[in-house]
């Protein structure tokens, strides 16, 4: 199993507004597009993103207004070390709403929201660790930290690469073994108060790139991953499992040299 995080999918209510927002403020370019019957899928990412970098998949379903739940937290995007305040001010100058500025976050990070209310964290990284605005991690909230860590380390063979344990919550970071610095990781947030979360439908899934869809799917089933949408039910082009809290995880084979990023 390759294990690289290929993309994060979100749903949006107005495709053109969302594309304009990401292309204007995060300088993303359109990598590929698929027009279906009543829906459109667009892949976005920085122009010079690394092969191991993760894309943002935007899905628009005609006539739907997605609702943001709290089981998904945010995506985080990178700016160079020491330039957080400059880039946050740039976003404000471009008309992005002031949500959580660097000062309110101890000078270490900041947050903005896209037109649908998806939260976007801005984090500081070494410029060699990914292109400007590239996705650093996706945060999801989990109801049991031990189960969540077990899921990612056992099912997908990920490593725990960082943690922050505070008085009321803990953050755990997991990523594939031998992941490139440019690769996206998953942040698992666990709140100690035992709360439950609403999944909503504005977030879709995480996608993991695999070497052999059928073989890796069978390996996941042997490791007792949920059989949610198997390869056969998706014409052997992709498959889906879920974690212990119901976050959907897509499996896909990806030919990075192909004319289209879509397997269908």
């Amino acid at each position: 199993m390759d294990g690289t995080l290929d993309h994060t999918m979100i749903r949006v209510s107005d495709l053109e507004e969302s594309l304009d927002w990401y292309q204007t403020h995060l300088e993303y370019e359109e990598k590929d597009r698929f027009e279906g019957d009543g829906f459109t899928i667009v892949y976005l990412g920085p122009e010079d993103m690394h092969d191991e970098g993760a894309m943002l998949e935007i899905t628009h379903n005609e006539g739907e207004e997605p609702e943001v739940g709290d089981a998904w937290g945010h995506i985080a995007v990178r700016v160079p070390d020491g330039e957080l305040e400059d880039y946050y001010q740039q976003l404000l100058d471009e008309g992005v709403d002031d949500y959580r500025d660097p000062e309110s976050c101890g000078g270490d990070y900041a947050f903005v929201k896209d037109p649908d209310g998806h939260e976007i964290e801005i984090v500081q990284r070494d410029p060699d660790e990914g292109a400007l605005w590239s996705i650093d991690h996706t945060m999801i909230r989990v109801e049991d930290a031990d189960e969540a860590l077990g899921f990612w380390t056992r099912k997908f063979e990920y490593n725990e690469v960082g943690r922050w344990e505070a008085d009321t919550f803990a953050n755990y970071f997991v990523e594939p073994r031998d992941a490139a610095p440019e690769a996206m990781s998953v942040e698992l947030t666990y709140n100690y108060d035992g709360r439950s979360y609403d999944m909503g439908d504005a977030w879709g899934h995480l996608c993991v790139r695999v070497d052999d869809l059928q073989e890796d799917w069978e390996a996941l089933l042997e490791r007792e991953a949920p059989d949610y949408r198997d390869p056969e039910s998706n014409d052997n082009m992709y498959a889906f499992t879920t974690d212990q809290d119901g976050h959907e995880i897509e499996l896909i084979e990806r030919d990075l040299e192909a004319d289209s990023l879509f397997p269908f």
Side-chain angles (χ1 to χ4, degrees), residues 74 100 105 109 111 121 139-143 145 163-173 187-195 197:
H74 59 258
R100 293 178 60 188
C105 299
Y109 52 90
F111 280 86
E121 182 183 14
M139 187 274 267
I140 60 177
R141 295 186 177 93
V142 301
E143 297 184 14
R163 65 169 59 192
W164 168 260
E165 294 180 330
D167 292 338
T168 60
F169 70 94
N171 298 328
Y172 305 94
F173 290 85
E187 177 185 357
L188 308 171
T189 291
Y190 171 62
N191 291 294
Y192 301 156
D193 57 10
R195 72 183 75 173
Y197 302 102

Side-chain angles (χ1 to χ4, degrees), residues 9-12 59 66-69 72 116 118 199-204:
M9 188 274 263
I10 60 174
R11 296 185 180 92
V12 302
T59 293
E67 294 186 5
V68 178
W72 294 85
D116 287 280
H118 297 100
M199 195 65 67
D201 61 358
W203 290 85

